[in-house]
Amino acid sequence: MNAKRSIIAELKRRKVLVPRAITLVLLIGFPIAVVMAWIYDVTPRGSNATQTQWLRWRLRRRSRLAPPPWTRVRPPRRPASRKSIAVLPFTDLSPQRDQEYFSDGIAEEILDALVKLKDLKVAGRTSSFSFRKR
């Protein structure tokens, strides 16, 4: 017993005990903090228990109604219900190359006319005109 006291006293004297104790507390506390953060959400209204996929699986597993964890239920794919289009800018083919504003105006007018159609999704001008130099 006296030998243990002298070891602890020697560690205290060398100031080794405090850093090791802090390291030990952090090593033990970190996994606990990770699990608690996974289970609980801290919000301005307080902490709430979250429904994680693992907890749901465990609850279903107890009732024996759950599929194995390696199978994933995917929602059915919906068919694309909306048609979409992008109006690309016209190229200025004039001999002096000074009619670019005119070709941009034509593309703008087409874009504005297509936007008015309810069943058609039209890509924005900025997105379409980014392909001008390509």
Side-chain angles (χ1 to χ4, degrees), residues 1-13 17:
M1 188 74 174
N2 196 11
K4 283 186 181 180
R5 285 188 182 173
S6 65
I7 291 173
I8 293 174
E10 184 64 25
L11 289 176
K12 280 184 182 178
R13 188 181 70 78
L17 188 63

Side-chain angles (χ1 to χ4, degrees), residues 69-93:
W70 57 84
T71 63
R72 196 192 311 174
V73 177
R74 294 189 178 123
R77 289 187 178 183
R78 292 184 298 150
S81 60
R82 295 188 68 185
K83 296 176 184 175
S84 63
I85 191 168
V87 179
L88 297 176
F90 291 101
T91 305
D92 180 17
L93 298 177

